[in-house]
Amino acid sequence: MSKGKRKNGTNTIQRRSYAEYGIGRQRIEELQSGCRTGIYPPEILKAACRGLEAISPWILLSVRQDKSFDTLAVRWELGEIEKPPFCRTDFYLCRRRFFANLDKELKERGA
């Protein structure tokens, strides 16, 4: 098991909250707004997908267009996009990790 993964008493990977990533409500709203409005260049968004390559197309679609998992589900049922390889719970786990990576990337670049 990698160093970053933690386990709880039921032998499953614990899903971290934004608070556990050190991101407050105001900061997450700033990050979400920046993704929706296109403030962040594509290379920063791709860098924030590090470690999430399997689901990055759906994460980027979700954060850029402010779409929920359920909204994306309608689109793949209509055949507009492929079904993501994760369930809803894991999708939101990856989305939180994306925003944590984005926050870290922006801090490293001084943005």
Side-chain angles (χ1 to χ4, degrees):
M1 178 172 25
S2 72
K3 183 178 176 183
K5 293 182 180 178
R6 299 179 307 160
K7 291 191 170 203
N8 61 18
T10 61
N11 204 26
T12 60
I13 297 172
Q14 188 175 17
R15 289 165 176 82
R16 300 172 87 185
S17 67
Y18 286 122
E20 289 176 298
Y21 280 117
I23 303 174
R25 179 180 297 268
Q26 182 178 357
R27 180 63 176 158
I28 194 64
E29 288 173 5
E30 291 171 9
L31 295 171
Q32 290 172 340
S33 176
C35 289
R36 283 190 305 267
T37 58
I39 292 173
Y40 308 128
E43 60 270 4
I44 290 180
L45 297 179
K46 288 181 182 177
C49 288
R50 191 178 16 245
L52 304 170
E53 288 80 11
I55 195 168
S56 65
W58 295 274
I59 295 294
L60 291 174
L61 182 63
S62 172
V63 300
R64 286 179 178 156
Q65 298 181 9
D66 195 28
K67 302 292 183 190
S68 69
F69 182 85
D70 294 327
T71 304
L72 294 175
V74 169
R75 291 185 65 188
W76 76 65
E77 287 175 3
L78 295 174
E80 295 177 11
I81 61 174
E82 289 184 39
K83 185 175 180 179
F86 289 80
C87 67
R88 171 187 283 139
T89 302
D90 291 340
F91 174 82
Y92 286 110
L93 168 117
C94 292
R95 189 177 150 116
R96 285 188 299 274
R97 185 168 166 205
F98 167 84
F99 282 116
N101 290 349
L102 179 59
D103 185 50
K104 182 179 178 183
E105 189 72 27
L106 291 171
K107 286 179 180 176
E108 287 175 358
R109 294 180 184 218

